[in-house]
Structure formats: structure tokens, C-alpha cells
Amino acid sequence: MKTKKFIIRMLELLFIALWVFPLAWMFITSLKLEEEVITKTFTFWPQNPSFANYIKAFTSTYIINWMGNSFIVSLFAMLLTLAVDAPIAYAFAKIPFKGRNVLFWLVMGGMMVPFQVLIVPLYLQFNSYGLVNTLAAAYLPRIALPIGIFILKQFYEGIPSDLEEAAFIDGANRARIFFKIIVPLGQSAMATVIILSFINTWNDFLWPLIVINDTIKYTITVGIANFQGTHGTQYSLIMAGATVASIPQILFYIFFRKKIIAGIATSGMKG
């Protein structure tokens, strides 16, 4: 038994190391001078660690604007995703209607449609609305997250129907029940949806690259990729930008990690 636990712990440490190493390598590379990065001699730790790449990123690029744009896009995507997913999930979980199961699985089928297939019709649609080259165009396609509907539906199904019946007896309608009972009880599951929406939107690259033209309006992912053109592919500078871009995601996960675990565990998604 002790041997089994030891092996499990070693495997856990191995997976943690595999996850942490790229982040550590990214940060260490960002502290190197460019000549240390492109040299033929391998060095793990920089000979003269320097924050020059960070200073250059903040002084010679629009990285602050890009970070702000990504925050705006991610914030609106989170709020709109929650506003759309929660009522839909509640309807699928608690309101019986004809064709409910078929409609639910059609929604789930949206997860199997590659986003690349939708790029051309989406671009034409947003262009007709005059939304091309706006931040709104970057976050609107990211709302109504199918996996968010699934997580919330699974959680709502676990809420006892007796609570709803008692509320109906007291004269409450569906809207009051949803906002006064379902939403407060579903905070952990909603936190899971929020973090998934945030990561999905923050890391989005292809769609913002296509729909936004002005450099100052770029999101952080597109802006960092732009380093390759404006700075002749300086890898240490790119790593500095990537490190800055990863900080909000790490902090966001640390802040919500307990609610995420609780939300997944109570939504019927245990491993």
C-alpha cells in the first residue's frame, strides 16, 4: 500500500514538473539577453539576469493597451456567457418541455464544430453590422459556451425539486426562483464557467487577429505575436510579453481554484 502511494506521489510530482517547466523556462528566457538565447551554447540560467526585456515591452510597445483590451474582452465574455448559459441550463435542468433532450444535445453538438469553420460567415456577419475592428467583435462569438451550459445543467439537476415546489406554493414565479434560489446555490458551478470563459477568451488568437486591424486595439495574444514583425523576432522579448500575459490567468485560477474544484465535483464531472 505504501509503495502504491509512493508511486502515485511520484507521478503527481512528475506531472507538476511537466506543467511548471515550460512556465519556468519562459520566465528564465525572458531574463536573458537576446545573444544568450540564440547562441549555440546551451545555458539554463542567464549569465546576467536582466529585466531589460520587460522594460522594452512596456516602453516600446502597446502592451498596456493590449492587456487592457484583453481584460475588457474577457470581462464582457464572462458576464455575457454567464447571463446566457445560466438561464439556458436552468431550462434544460428544471423546466420540462417537448424536445428538451434533443435540443440539449444539439447545443452540446456545438462543441464538436471547429471554430475555423465559422470564421468566414462570422466575419461577413460582423462586417455587415459594422463591428469589424471593434472589441465587441472579439468577444461576442465567445458567449453561450456549450461546456458552460453542460456544467450548470448538471449542477442544477442536483438541486432538490422540493425547494422549487415550496417556492411555487409561496407564490414565487420561475424568474424569482431562478434568481433567489438557483443562482445563490450554483455559485461554485458558475465560478467554473467564469474561469473557463476567461481562459478561452484571454487565449483566443485567431479570431481577434482576423477581426481587429488597428495595432492599438489588439488583444495581448495578437500583440505578442506582432513582436515578430516589429522587433525582428526577438525571442527573449516575446518570452517577456508571454510571461506578462500569463500572470492574470495564473492569478485568476489561484483566486477561483477552490470554487472550480467544488463546481466540477458537484456537477457530475468527477474523474
Side-chain angles (χ1 to χ4, degrees):
M1 193 66 180
K2 290 183 178 180
T3 304
K4 183 178 179 181
K5 288 184 177 180
F6 176 78
I7 294 174
I8 293 174
R9 293 294 177 268
M10 289 298 102
L11 289 174
E12 290 175 349
L13 291 173
L14 175 61
F15 284 119
I16 291 173
L18 291 174
W19 183 82
V20 171
F21 179 77
L23 298 177
W25 180 256
M26 177 177 66
F27 175 69
I28 291 170
T29 304
S30 70
L31 299 178
K32 293 181 179 181
L33 299 176
E34 187 63 22
E35 51 267 25
E36 289 186 70
V37 176
I38 61 177
T39 183
K40 294 181 179 180
T41 305
F42 174 79
T43 56
F44 181 77
W45 188 257
Q47 296 178 359
N48 298 300
S50 171
F51 288 96
N53 293 309
Y54 292 92
I55 295 173
K56 186 174 183 179
F58 280 98
T59 57
S60 64
T61 72
Y62 295 110
I63 192 169
I64 296 178
N65 297 83
W66 298 337
M67 290 284 285
N69 294 338
S70 287
F71 273 116
I72 292 172
V73 170
S74 299
L75 177 63
F76 276 95
M78 287 189 302
L79 295 177
L80 292 175
T81 295
L82 206 57
V84 172
D85 282 9
I88 293 175
Y90 174 65
F92 282 136
K94 294 294 185 180
I95 303 177
F97 58 89
K98 189 175 181 180
R100 180 175 65 173
N101 292 333
V102 174
L103 184 58
F104 171 72
W105 287 111
L106 285 175
V107 172
M108 291 298 99
M111 292 189 294
M112 296 184 289
V113 179
F115 185 75
Q116 290 80 357
V117 176
L118 306 175
I119 285 178
V120 173
L122 274 176
Y123 184 88
L124 294 176
Q125 185 177 21
F126 279 97
N127 188 48
S128 66
Y129 294 156
L131 292 175
V132 170
N133 200 33
T134 65
L135 295 182
Y139 64 75
L140 285 176
R142 292 300 177 186
I143 64 176
L145 196 65
I147 187 63
I149 295 174
F150 175 77
I151 292 173
L152 292 172
K153 174 182 176 292
Q154 295 297 100
F155 185 90
Y156 293 159
E157 285 179 342
I159 297 176
S161 299
D162 294 344
L163 294 176
E164 284 189 297
E165 293 174 2
F168 280 129
I169 293 173
D170 290 338
N173 55 25
R174 283 285 183 187
R176 186 179 180 85
I177 291 172
F178 176 72
F179 287 108
K180 295 295 184 180
I181 298 177
I182 303 299
V183 170
L185 291 176
Q187 289 183 4
S188 58
M190 292 167 69
T192 305
V193 175
I194 285 175
I195 191 69
L196 290 175
S197 176
F198 178 84
I199 293 175
N200 187 45
T201 308
W202 186 273
N203 289 333
D204 193 13
F205 171 75
L206 183 59
W207 177 244
L209 176 66
I210 293 173
V211 81
I212 297 177
N213 303 320
D214 292 343
T215 303
I216 199 169
K217 293 183 180 180
Y218 284 164
T219 58
I220 188 64
T221 52
V222 179
I224 291 174
N226 194 50
F227 283 176
Q228 299 185 40
T230 58
H231 297 282
T233 312
Q234 295 184 31
Y235 297 103
S236 57
L237 182 62
I238 292 174
M239 290 298 183
T243 301
V244 173
S246 65
I247 291 174
Q249 297 183 78
I250 296 173
L251 294 178
F252 205 77
Y253 173 76
I254 292 173
F255 183 77
F256 282 105
R257 71 185 188 281
K258 291 184 179 179
K259 288 187 177 294
I260 295 169
I261 295 171
I264 293 176
T266 55
S267 298
M269 296 182 64
K270 296 179 182 179

